[in-house]
Amino acid sequence: MNGQQRSGPDRRQAIKGAGVIGGVVVLLVGGGVIGWQAVSDRPAEPVTAVQPGQDPSLEALAGAAVSGGPGKDGIPSIDRPRFIPARDAGFLSDDEPVFGLEYRGEVRAYPQSVLVWHEIVNDTVGGEPLAVTYCPLTGTVIGFSAPAGTPELTFGTTGKLVNSNLVMYDRQTGSQWPQLVGTAVSGPLKGTRLDTVPLVWTTWKEWRAAHPDTRVLSTDTGALRSYGSDPYGSYDSYPDRGGYYADQGTLFPLLATSDRFPDKDVVIGVRVGDKRLAIHKDLVRTAKTVRAEVTGTQLEARWDDKLDTARVLQRAGDGDRWEPADYLDSMWFAWYAFYPNTQVRQ
């Protein structure tokens, strides 16, 4: 199967697995509804071919974009986020997933139950603009800032997907950016790559215990949403998951596929220059430390027992100083679809 294109199963069946019956998914949007037509009810959309052994070009990624259902800004970003102290976050249960951020002296928690309805938070952290982004279909959460020499950017959702992954647009130039790669594939900023800031997957109980002074993204977003429910399924204590998150099918066409791991297995994806490495998260969980070398750069994936998650560090220079690598959690199918030339540790 490696290197071959594949479209997902009937979306009606997959969404049934998430507890929604019928061929149309209905989401509350500003008090109204948007219906998501089943993939099986739409004409097939073309997917640009990818050469075996090569990662997709920007043109291939742009050409592979398909409608995800809601139109532009149909899934609204949070542009004026409000944060509350941990003691006031009564809407969160202990085992709920949160995305933890430690950056520029600030500590914040972004609940998955909020981001699943918005996907993008245009935030400011330590005086610096930072977009916190989450794609439920690929399980990827990434912080982005504009690189030096690029105007300050804010982001919205295009309504399109590539390899089931959120395609963002920036409101300043209209350029389009698949979230997982963080590189503009079209528009005036085509080829520009955003700077990344890692966030960690953990639970509210673990994050709160490690960071009792954390601030928490509030449900006071200005939008009417069913916070506390998830239209795709449920995350319980790992590895128990329900709905789409447990089902091994995917919903949209993929540029490349691999059966090396089950589709929804979580890998830690690492980028070093133009090289890519995937480390199965369970390997880090078991081994506690996994070492690798990519293009001469020494990497260590270390298990954080307090937060029950993995962090990846890279050696800086010739000394003993380590700094965060460019890494993220990702469902295997998505990492491989964007990076079929990836190296793998398992």
Side-chain angles (χ1 to χ4, degrees):
M1 292 176 63
N2 291 2
Q4 300 301 309
Q5 296 176 28
R6 181 185 67 188
S7 59
D10 186 311
R11 192 177 186 197
R12 179 184 293 107
Q13 297 173 357
I15 294 298
K16 279 184 180 180
V20 182
I21 304 301
V24 177
V25 183
V26 179
L27 300 181
L28 289 172
V29 177
V33 296
I34 286 180
W36 284 9
Q37 187 179 4
V39 166
S40 60
D41 297 334
R42 295 204 308 257
E45 300 186 57
V47 175
T48 306
V50 175
Q51 297 298 318
Q54 296 182 12
D55 293 344
S57 65
L58 299 182
E59 292 76 17
L61 293 175
V66 299
S67 172
K72 185 177 180 180
D73 293 320
I75 298 176
S77 61
I78 299 175
D79 296 329
R80 287 179 288 277
R82 299 180 181 182
F83 291 84
I84 57 177
R87 65 177 179 274
D88 294 336
F91 67 95
L92 286 174
S93 60
D94 282 350
D95 61 352
E96 282 193 56
V98 299
F99 310 132
L101 175 71
E102 300 170 78
Y103 186 61
R104 298 176 68 87
E106 298 198 24
V107 179
R108 298 189 179 183
Y110 299 83
Q112 186 268 351
S113 60
V114 176
L115 264 69
V116 73
W117 295 98
H118 295 280
E119 301 190 359
I120 300 173
V121 181
N122 288 300
D123 204 354
T124 300
V125 182
E128 177 182 311
L130 185 71
V132 174
T133 67
Y134 169 57
C135 179
L137 294 179
T138 56
T140 47
V141 58
I142 315 171
F144 290 118
S145 61
T150 303
E152 178 182 324
L153 301 175
T154 56
F155 296 90
T157 60
T158 63
K160 299 177 183 178
L161 301 168
V162 174
N163 294 324
S164 285
N165 183 241
L166 159 70
V167 178
M168 314 180 295
Y169 76 96
D170 71 79
R171 297 191 176 115
Q172 286 66 39
T173 74
S175 302
Q176 298 194 1
W177 315 71
Q179 180 241 16
L180 196 150
V181 296
T183 301
V185 298
S186 66
L189 294 179
K190 180 180 176 180
T192 301
R193 183 177 173 186
L194 299 169
D195 293 335
T196 60
V197 176
L199 290 92
V200 296
W201 278 79
T202 185
T203 66
W204 173 230
K205 178 181 180 180
E206 289 159 335
W207 185 257
R208 185 181 67 234
H211 300 288
D213 58 344
T214 188
R215 306 286 291 177
V216 184
L217 180 65
S218 168
T219 57
D220 184 10
T221 64
L224 176 63
R225 294 295 183 275
S226 182
Y227 299 121
S229 66
D230 187 327
Y232 302 101
S234 64
Y235 281 101
D236 299 314
S237 58
Y238 183 86
D240 296 323
R241 293 174 288 188
Y244 170 84
Y245 307 122
D247 180 76
Q248 288 308 312
T250 56
L251 302 183
F252 295 90
L254 302 175
L255 283 168
T257 65
S258 168
D259 56 6
R260 184 160 189 168
F261 303 123
D263 287 338
K264 305 292 176 60
D265 273 21
V266 178
V267 298
I268 311 300
V270 189
R271 295 179 281 225
V272 181
D274 61 354
K275 301 298 181 182
R276 309 292 178 250
L277 173 68
I279 308 171
H280 200 290
K281 194 169 186 177
D282 283 345
L283 175 62
V284 189
R285 186 190 307 272
T286 301
K288 302 301 181 184
T289 300
V290 176
R291 297 180 177 87
E293 184 172 309
V294 178
T295 63
T297 299
Q298 295 184 39
L299 300 169
E300 283 193 3
R302 303 173 182 175
W303 193 255
D304 185 331
D305 285 318
K306 289 184 178 179
L307 295 178
D308 195 34
T309 194
R311 301 177 186 268
V312 182
L313 303 176
Q314 63 183 35
R315 188 185 294 275
D318 297 327
D320 291 328
R321 185 169 62 88
W322 294 81
E323 61 187 19
D326 179 6
Y327 73 96
L328 67 149
D329 284 27
S330 174
M331 295 179 186
W332 166 243
F333 83 84
W335 182 260
Y336 186 87
F338 281 103
Y339 301 125
N341 206 30
T342 187
Q343 302 175 46
V344 177
R345 286 289 305 272
Q346 65 182 93

